[in-house]
Amino acid sequence: MKTISIKDDICIKGELTTCGSKMLANFKPPYNATVVDKLAAACFNVIGGNTMDENSSIDADFALCSDHAGLARRFAMANSLIALKPTYGSVSRYGLITPAPSLDQISPIGKTVRDVAELYSVICGMDERDSTTVERDYPNFCENLDKGIEGIIVGTAFCRPQQNILGGKMPPLQKTIPIELPSIEYASTVFQIIAYAETFSNLARYDGIKFGYRSENAATLAELYENTRAEGFGYDTKKQIITGAIALSRDNRHLYYDRAIRGRAKLCAELDNAFAQSDVIITPLDDSWTVIPNLTGCPAIAVGGIQIIAPKFSEELLFRAARTIEIAGGDSNA
């Protein structure tokens, strides 16, 4: 039986799920997240309460966690692990406590590509409790891991020569072509504006009334709202809420949020154009490129110090490409 550590923002019935925040310090969900039910049904030993920062960093080496702005993928790179950001809509977000629901997703992390493929095979699929999930047939993603990527076109988004991407261990690829996203320099800004706007909207529910932390220093309802949020949220979260409020205000919406939404659409179109020329794209794991999958809904995997992005619902091809790089890095028996 495999043991899976679950990040502290994924609900497990009856267990503390705090999101690393004072606001939810005593919160015990009355239900399981859909992914937790699926793992239990597949006989995984589920351990909850994996520590995290209030804004979604993680502390695990084999886990399910949320992926915000590519933090799970960058964590994996720093710890020689593999992390998948799935296609948006392929994994239920029911039971995931997230401030930015259009951007964040549940991400499997493992020691090998096969670990991640096995986890993803268990947790993917439609969920009636999450209207963003897509009904489709999902294969067993472990079956074709070793088929290789012969014949596919690989786009590369690196400025330096491709042979240096993996420290001289670039796998033999049939064809590579350079790929550019003209608007990539704006990706981080677009992500932050949308994320902060959604944070402002979604965290309004934490008012000290129905659940979560409640201030004891309030004589009126207005003071209860104000003091609960002042005492319950951390500095960074408050800053995001205020920034989101400014971005969505009547005077500023057209300057910030509306332009960010148009920027997101432009990045999606540019990535679609890149996939018209290539089957998968290899990119750096930097701030600009790691937010692209979250903004566009495409799947991405961190392996061998790089990121591979594929078109939506192309996880099978993504795993094959990641496995090829894993073997090139010397882990042929994983």
Side-chain angles (χ1 to χ4, degrees), residues 128-206:
E128 293 181 352
R129 296 173 292 186
D130 180 1
S131 61
T132 67
T133 53
V134 177
E135 184 174 8
R136 60 182 287 123
D137 292 328
Y138 293 91
N140 183 328
F141 292 97
C142 293
E143 289 183 356
N144 296 315
L145 273 183
D146 295 314
K147 285 186 64 175
I149 52 175
E150 183 176 356
I152 77 164
I153 300 174
V154 177
T156 60
F158 285 80
C159 296
R160 61 185 186 274
Q162 68 181 42
Q163 63 267 23
N164 292 329
I165 294 174
L166 294 174
K169 296 182 179 180
M170 189 66 185
L173 304 174
Q174 295 296 306
K175 184 177 181 181
T176 63
I177 61 173
I179 289 294
E180 291 185 2
L181 265 62
S183 302
I184 188 68
E185 62 182 301
Y186 307 111
S188 293
T189 301
V190 167
F191 181 91
Q192 288 177 350
I193 292 173
I194 295 173
Y196 293 169
E198 293 188 7
T199 297
F200 165 71
S201 176
N202 281 283
L203 296 190
R205 73 190 71 180
Y206 298 103

Side-chain angles (χ1 to χ4, degrees), residues 290-307:
T290 54
V291 301
I292 290 295
N294 299 76
L295 285 168
T296 62
C298 291
I301 194 166
V303 57
I306 62 172
Q307 174 178 249

Side-chain angles (χ1 to χ4, degrees), residues 232-249:
F233 288 131
Y235 174 78
D236 288 338
T237 301
K238 292 175 187 175
K239 184 168 64 174
Q240 292 177 19
I241 291 171
I242 293 170
T243 305
I246 293 170
L248 289 174
S249 66

